[in-house]
């Protein structure tokens, strides 16, 4: 994994990095003279920019924590000490300092290092992460196990300010002081989640970080006192200082009330400062929260100018900041189609309210926020709250649309069951990235939404085969007086069909018969339709006549009438879905046939019962997991009627 691929150099086009090249492990870093560290930081930034410019990735978060990560590895000794990164999208400097710089140009590519932490990749990675808000709970568990076994070692959790909008972070905070005396929490405050951080906690942190203003004012008072004449100027500064200190000391009590010693804010780019404070935290026999102010995107002008775009960027030109344009004629993404379709619905119906959990741009809600700010809510990284909040809105007559990535919706399963479905409330859940997020990998693939939500009474689960159907499904869902209605769609370009002038009302639970044939019936869900068509063509050639082809539209409720008819009229059913097979759409087909006493053979095409890694492309991961066209054909072939 740490070898450069043929045709690429080991640094991926970054300038030479002699200091980094000599660091095989953090022990080498600790031997480096302090005077060399700024040059090392520059080398790390250059490597991050080179790799992300080529492969895409989390640019801003990583450029912001270079000095912080160097200081952490100077003070703590992984793997004896556990260093946990929340989300772990900011772990690139950590990877570069823990023996992974040689393969780093293959970051997020097939065979290269993952963009997130994973103990399977390195013993220096203490815990898997990709979802926000887990670091504190996991760190506390590790600390509790250490205490129980009387083991040596420190535990450090690095959490962004965005992570403090997660319920789980606050739940862990509530437990720390009663669980351990030795835990170091780094609050990496850059004021940004993916977009600007939101809510009262963001405001609280912003006020806390004014202690820098407090310091500045304090210094100016000192200067003014020694200057003459001080007069009014001194008085004005004095008043300001009092206000700042009052706010600061009042707010800093927030973390102290949880039993933590709150230190900071300190400058997260000042290595000696960082090292000094980290040493204090390391040696303390009480839990410490070190509040560190960093600049997201530091060292790349484009990332400083556009923090949201460069939170996680597609491949880009480091000079201009331009991302690589899509091929001309590429259809719009499903996200863009959803964004426009929602706007149309919201324009026509003032009950429509959009909700995001810190993913406004990723889920396409930016236009809604701009056009109907009063009907747009960014609740922070709080999917559970978002779902119950949507239920509350629906209970009082609104038509909430909750836009989440499929993988993050996993957080809200209880709320979808207990707060939405149990009350049959008309909430529309739009699950983007249903299917693979190839470069991000297992933490981000959206493969489990159907199995998680299919057993939920009252839930309707739809998946459009193209962008026109997505608009129809949203239109349809918003016209129901019950719910939840769940619409799932994948990352990336839609099918490229024309979207009708006005969306149509679909019949819930009805499939679309695309082709009546014989021998075998191919039932496809959503964006698997091109694969289903290709498979149907091969089956047709083999059987000497076309098979039946169906666009299922629904994973729940299934069109049982049509399915049972097909099971009786054909000798094989093939199902295709872009989701986990266990409990998925094909499983629903099997259950329906079994309950009707029909034994028609069913071949199910979907993702197997194992976690799927990261890779350069969907095609790579499909090929590696038996979902490429040839593998699909080989699975179906033995079951075709003679
Ligand atoms: C449960 C969950 N919801 C949404 C996301 C998407 N996401 C990834 S990073 C991020 C923002 C994190 O902000 P912060 O913790 O401040 O870290 P920073 O990127 O600023 O370093 C979000 C919302 C996620 N990873 N997990």
């Amino acid at each position: 994994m740490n070898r450069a691929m043929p045709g690429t150099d080991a640094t991926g086009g970054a300038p030479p990095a002699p200091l980094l090249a000599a660091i095989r492990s953090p022990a080498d870093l600790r031997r480096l003279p302090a005077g060399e560290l700024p040059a090392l930081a520059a080398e790390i930034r250059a490597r991050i920019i080179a790799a992300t410019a080529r492969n895409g990735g989390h640019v801003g978060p990583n450029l912001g924590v270079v000095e912080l990560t160097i200081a952490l590895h100077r003070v703590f000794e992984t793997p004896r000490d556990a260093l946990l990164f929340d989300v772990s999208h900011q772990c690139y400097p950590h990877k570069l300092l823990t023996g992974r710089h040689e393969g780093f140009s293959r970051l997020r590519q097939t065979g290269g290092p993952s963009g997130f932490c994973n103990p399977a990749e390195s013993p220096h990675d203490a815990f898997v992460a990709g979802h926000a808000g887990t670091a504190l709970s996991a760190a506390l568990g590790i600390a509790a196990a250490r205490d129980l076994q009387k083991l040596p070692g420190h535990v450090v959790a690095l959490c962004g300010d965005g992570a403090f909008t997660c319920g789980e972070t606050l739940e862990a905070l509530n437990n720390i002081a009663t669980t351990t005396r030795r835990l170091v929490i780094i609050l990496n405050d850059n004021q940004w989640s993916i977009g600007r951080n939101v809510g009262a906690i963001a405001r609280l942190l912003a006020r806390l970080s004014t202690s820098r203003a407090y310091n500045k004012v304090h210094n100016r008072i000192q200067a003014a006192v020694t200057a003459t004449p001080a007069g009014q100027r001194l008085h004005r500064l004095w008043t300001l200082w009092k206000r700042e200190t009052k706010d600061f000391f009042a707010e800093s009590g927030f973390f102290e009330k949880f039993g933590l010693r709150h230190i900071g804010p300190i400058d997260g780019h000042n290595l000696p400062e960082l090292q000094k404070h980290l040493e204090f935290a390391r040696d303390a026999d009480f839990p410490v929260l070190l509040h560190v102010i960093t600049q997201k995107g530091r060292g790349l002008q484009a990332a400083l100018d556009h923090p949201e775009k460069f939170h996680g960027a597609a491949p880009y030109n480091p000079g201009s900041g331009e991302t690589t344009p899509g091929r001309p004629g590429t259809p719009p993404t499903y996200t863009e189609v959803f964004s426009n379709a929602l706007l149309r619905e919201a324009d026509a119906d003032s009950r429509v309210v959009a909700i995001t959990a810190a993913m406004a741009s990723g889920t396409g809600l930016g236009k809604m926020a701009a056009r109907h700010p009063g009907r747009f809510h960014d609740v922070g990284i709080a999917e559970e709250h978002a779902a119950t909040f949507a239920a509350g809105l629906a209970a009082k007559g609104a038509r909430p649309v909750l836009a989440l990535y499929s993988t993050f919706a996993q957080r809200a399963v209880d709320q979808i069951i207990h707060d939405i479905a149990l009350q049959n409330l008309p909430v529309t859940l739009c699950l983007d990235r249903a299917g693979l997020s190839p470069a991000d990998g297992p933490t981000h693939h959206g493969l489990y939404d159907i199995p998680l939500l299919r057993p939920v009474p009252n839930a309707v689960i739809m998946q459009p085969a193209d962008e026109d159907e997505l608009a129809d499904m949203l239109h349809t869902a918003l016209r129901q007086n019950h719910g939840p209605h769940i619409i799932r769609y994948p990352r990336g370009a839609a099918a490229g069909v024309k979207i009708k002038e006005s969306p149509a009302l679909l019949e819930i639970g009805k499939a679309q018969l695309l082709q009546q044939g014989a021998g075998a019936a191919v039932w496809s869900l959503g964006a698997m339709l091109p694969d289903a068509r290709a498979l149907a063509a091969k089956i047709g050639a083999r059987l000497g006549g076309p098979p039946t082809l169906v666009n299922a539209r629904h994973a729940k409720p299934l069109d049982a009438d049509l399915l049972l008819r097909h099971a009786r009229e054909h000798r094989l059913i093939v199902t295709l879905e872009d989701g986990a097979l266990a409990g998925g759409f094909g499983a629903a087909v099997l259950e329906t046939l079994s309950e009707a006493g029909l034994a028609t053979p069913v071949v199910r095409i979907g993702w197997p019962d194992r976690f799927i890694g990261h890779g350069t492309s969907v095609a790579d991961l499909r090929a590696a997991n038996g979902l490429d066209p040839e593998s699909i054909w080989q699975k179906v072939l033995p079951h075709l009627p003679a």
Side-chain angles (χ1 to χ4, degrees), residues 227-268:
T228 52
Q232 280 186 5
R233 184 173 147 72
L234 180 61
H235 187 259
R236 194 170 57 78
L237 287 168
W238 176 241
T239 311
L240 196 60
W241 184 79
K242 276 199 301 192
R243 203 185 70 212
E244 295 293 351
T245 52
K246 180 170 150 284
D247 275 359
F248 173 66
F249 288 117
E251 308 288 357
S252 69
F254 178 79
F255 292 110
E256 303 272 344
K257 289 196 176 84
F258 286 92
L260 310 176
R261 187 71 56 87
H262 178 177
I263 300 171
I266 64 163
D267 176 357

Side-chain angles (χ1 to χ4, degrees), residues 61 86-87 89-90 130-132 159-163 188 190 192-194 296 311 357-359 381 383 408 411 444:
D86 199 72
V87 189
H89 61 315
Q90 73 292 62
H131 288 195
C159 308
D161 51 306
N188 172 33
N190 55 26
W192 289 83
S193 186
I194 289 180
K296 204 163 181 167
H311 170 87
M359 304 287 291
I381 314 176
E383 289 79 4
F408 304 137
R411 278 277 163 94
H444 282 63

Side-chain angles (χ1 to χ4, degrees), residues 208-222:
L208 283 179
S209 58
T210 55
S211 80
R212 291 212 290 183
Y214 150 78
N215 283 328
K216 216 187 278 171
V217 173
H218 182 261
N219 293 342
R220 278 162 64 188
I221 288 173
Q222 291 295 321

